[in-house]
Amino acid sequence: MGTASSPGDAAPRPAAGHGTGRRGQAARAVRALLQEHPAWVLLRSRNAAAAVVLLDRNLGASRRRLPVEQLADRIDDDVPELRRAGFELPYSGYFYVSEWIDEGVLVRRRAASSGGEPGAETVELSDGALLAIRFVSRLSRPHPAVTPSRLGAVLDGLHRLADESDPDPEARLAALLEQRAALDAKIERARRGDSEALPADVAVERAREILALAGDIPADLARVRTELERTDRELRRRLLESDGSRDIFLDDIYRGVDHLAESEAGRGLVAFRELLRRSEHSAQDDLGRVLDSVHLAPSEASALRRLLPTLQDAADELTDTMGVLRRALQRMVRSGELPAERALRRLIGEAQDAALAAAPDVAPGAELRLSLPLGAVAPRSVGGLAPHNPGGEDVEAPPADPALPPRPVSLTALRAMARDSEIDVDELRGHVNDVIDQAGRATVASVLAAHPATQGAASVVGLLTLAERHGTPTTEQEDVGWRSSRGVARRASLPQHQFEEHVP
């Protein structure tokens, strides 16, 4: 919309590669953030308001990590209240937790093992989720537009940076003498009794500034963890791509050179932890004095009291993570797994090359005839099972005492373990045959009506598989019902199949 112009009035087009190109690159980068960054994904999701509240309530503050099942149960407990408040949340807590994991809002990790057993699977807020929650918190509780303490912190930092970075030793000496003179003047006023404590409102303002600055640290630490894991993946990629003959990088890792600690994230973590260690006692004393003399709101006082323990726990955990990644990398080199990993990578590359070569001749929608047998547990000796630690740590089972008799193994317990990972086809076959004996024929719906699905949706899938193999399809649909593992009623409409003979 605008006035017409003649060709001679047209604005000159900018040359390629100049400002327009840079702006286009910047816009594409922002678009990538919009589509991929967990903070933006969370804030533009369909239930952003409810999600921010649920995540902050259950994983914010001191609760940084929860088992997946426990977080899903907490979400289930909170969702009814939000529904009554008008929010449309039709799904279960486990659905939302899974969605947040897929979107990168939550990070799924395996807890530390205990007694040789793998730990529970836990989730925690990603650095993007922490940024989003922090952003919403600042919008709902905006900082005053101008505060003397914030400006003073900026000016003091600028003045200190100028003094300490000046290459002229005479200038640095003059700055130190100026600081000493100011400190001597303060000491003299204190001796005369002329100095006064900060006014109460100024002290509260400064304490809130400290809390505002400290509030950004958890997201920074989460980014450090993400960067360490990214660096670990890059180091593993370099190992797999090296030829292994005369590789300096491979030799460095074999000798124990810590490339993770030498990365930017590793150096920052080491410096952060060292500063925290040196300042721990003095900072603890300072916190006690502030809490005794500054009248803060209960929530602010609690946040200030938790500040140091939270930072120490996070720094210790990150240091442990870096150590685990370093040991796993060295074990990968020293254990002889590297040649097998390289061979697997080569085979995968060959398969990808073959797929690309076949792509021009095979249509994307071409039907490929593949048959997969229904899973079943092959019986074998329990003594042949080797424990596996998903965390990558070496786990050595305690040696058995030869004087003690062997412990009996429950067949019922082994069957229960198998049912956790496989569909119990024998049970379903017996249910179908039982209904046929009583009624002469059976369908999936009649079998489920007589014998409820003990494995939830897995039982329904197993019955459908048996129906496709041994039943006769009809032109009708039938409704089937079952309960999930959490006891939630489920229903579905399926094509009907008739069982007219026993399923072998």
Side-chain angles (χ1 to χ4, degrees):
M1 299 175 61
T3 59
S5 60
S6 64
D9 295 333
R13 299 178 64 184
H18 289 279
T20 302
R22 289 193 295 271
R23 286 193 292 272
Q25 275 187 329
R28 285 193 294 271
V30 172
R31 183 174 61 188
L33 288 176
L34 172 66
Q35 296 171 346
E36 301 172 4
H37 197 283
W40 219 330
V41 169
L42 175 59
L43 292 177
R44 64 192 289 265
S45 62
R46 63 182 180 275
N47 289 314
V52 167
V53 170
L54 290 171
L55 291 171
D56 188 28
R57 169 182 170 82
N58 293 291
L59 289 175
S62 59
R63 294 183 298 273
R64 301 194 322 271
R65 184 178 297 106
L66 283 175
V68 175
E69 294 79 7
Q70 187 176 348
L71 177 59
D73 289 341
R74 287 172 178 256
I75 300 297
D76 281 331
D77 293 339
D78 294 337
V79 159
E81 181 181 350
L82 292 174
R83 288 172 180 161
R84 290 192 296 271
F87 291 92
E88 186 178 352
L89 300 168
Y91 303 112
S92 66
Y94 197 86
F95 173 87
Y96 294 115
V97 172
S98 301
E99 186 177 48
W100 292 329
I101 291 174
D102 293 339
E103 293 173 347
V105 174
L106 294 178
V107 179
R108 180 166 46 190
R109 304 189 192 282
R110 180 70 65 177
S113 59
S114 175
E117 294 293 330
E121 188 177 60
T122 64
V123 288
E124 61 189 71
L125 294 174
S126 67
D127 59 330
L130 288 167
L131 284 174
I133 293 173
R134 183 75 172 155
F135 174 72
V136 172
S137 176
R138 287 178 174 175
L139 289 180
S140 60
R141 294 188 297 273
H143 197 279
V146 176
T147 58
S149 59
R150 173 166 293 195
L151 177 60
V154 172
L155 296 179
D156 288 344
L158 179 63
H159 184 67
R160 187 164 55 253
L161 175 62
D163 289 342
E164 296 177 358
S165 62
D166 195 324
D168 185 2
E170 294 296 331
R172 293 199 302 274
L173 177 60
L176 291 173
L177 292 174
E178 181 182 351
Q179 293 175 20
R180 187 171 70 177
L183 183 59
D184 290 339
K186 287 183 179 181
I187 292 174
E188 185 60 30
R189 287 197 300 272
R191 283 175 177 169
R192 295 198 306 266
D194 294 340
S195 62
E196 296 181 357
L198 284 176
D201 56 341
V202 176
V204 170
E205 178 190 314
R206 291 194 182 181
R208 288 172 178 166
E209 286 293 344
I210 293 172
L211 286 173
L213 289 173
D216 294 329
I217 295 180
D220 294 338
L221 294 175
R223 280 194 297 274
V224 168
R225 178 193 282 272
T226 302
E227 184 62 23
L228 285 174
E229 292 173 343
R230 188 200 64 78
T231 303
D232 177 68
R233 290 193 298 270
E234 178 64 21
L235 293 175
R236 289 175 176 270
R237 184 190 64 80
R238 287 180 58 185
L239 279 175
L240 293 176
E241 291 180 352
S242 61
D243 58 9
S245 55
R246 295 285 296 174
D247 193 288
I248 298 177
F249 175 63
L250 179 63
D251 293 340
D252 285 346
I253 294 181
Y254 192 85
R255 293 197 312 269
V257 176
D258 193 350
H259 287 272
L260 284 171
E262 294 177 356
S263 66
E264 182 178 357
R267 291 195 303 270
L269 174 60
V270 171
F272 179 89
R273 183 178 173 82
E274 180 62 22
L275 177 60
L276 192 61
R277 184 190 63 79
R278 291 199 311 265
S279 308
E280 178 181 358
H281 297 296
S282 60
Q284 194 65 49
D285 293 340
D286 293 340
L287 275 175
R289 293 164 59 194
V290 168
L291 291 171
D292 290 341
S293 58
V294 181
H295 301 290
L296 297 170
S299 60
E300 294 171 335
S302 177
L304 199 60
R305 192 176 293 109
R306 291 196 310 266
L307 177 59
L308 282 181
T310 300
L311 294 180
Q312 288 166 347
D313 291 344
D316 291 343
E317 183 179 340
L318 278 179
T319 303
D320 293 341
T321 298
M322 189 165 63
V324 169
L325 294 176
R326 180 184 66 250
R327 291 191 297 272
L329 198 63
Q330 292 174 351
R331 186 167 53 252
M332 177 182 177
V333 173
R334 297 176 179 175
S335 64
E337 299 175 1
L338 195 55
E341 294 282 351
R342 286 172 172 163
L344 178 60
R345 183 182 180 88
R346 184 178 64 255
L347 292 173
I348 292 175
E350 293 174 357
Q352 291 174 337
D353 292 341
L356 290 174
D361 302 323
V362 180
E367 183 178 0
L368 301 178
R369 295 283 182 176
L370 295 176
S371 61
L372 296 176
L374 193 63
V377 177
R380 55 177 174 160
S381 171
V382 179
L385 300 176
H388 171 65
N389 178 19
E393 292 291 331
D394 292 330
V395 178
E396 295 183 1
D401 189 349
L404 296 177
R407 297 175 60 185
V409 177
S410 170
L411 184 60
T412 304
L414 290 177
R415 182 178 177 84
M417 291 173 60
R419 282 171 55 86
D420 288 340
S421 58
E422 301 290 343
I423 298 175
D424 194 340
V425 182
D426 291 339
E427 178 190 69
L428 298 177
R429 188 183 295 114
H431 290 171
V432 172
N433 294 337
D434 179 63
V435 174
I436 291 176
D437 289 338
Q438 295 181 14
R441 63 180 58 190
T443 65
V444 173
S446 63
V447 172
L448 289 174
H451 302 279
T454 59
Q455 291 182 287
S459 295
V460 181
V461 173
L463 285 173
L464 284 173
T465 303
L466 292 176
E468 290 179 352
R469 290 181 179 178
H470 305 286
T472 303
T474 69
T475 59
E476 299 180 4
Q477 297 281 115
E478 62 178 352
D479 293 334
V480 298
W482 70 95
R483 287 192 173 275
S484 69
S485 59
R486 296 174 60 86
V488 180
R490 305 292 190 191
R491 297 194 64 81
S493 180
L494 306 173
Q496 189 183 69
H497 289 72
Q498 290 274 5
F499 292 98
E500 297 179 352
E501 296 180 355
H502 276 198
V503 176

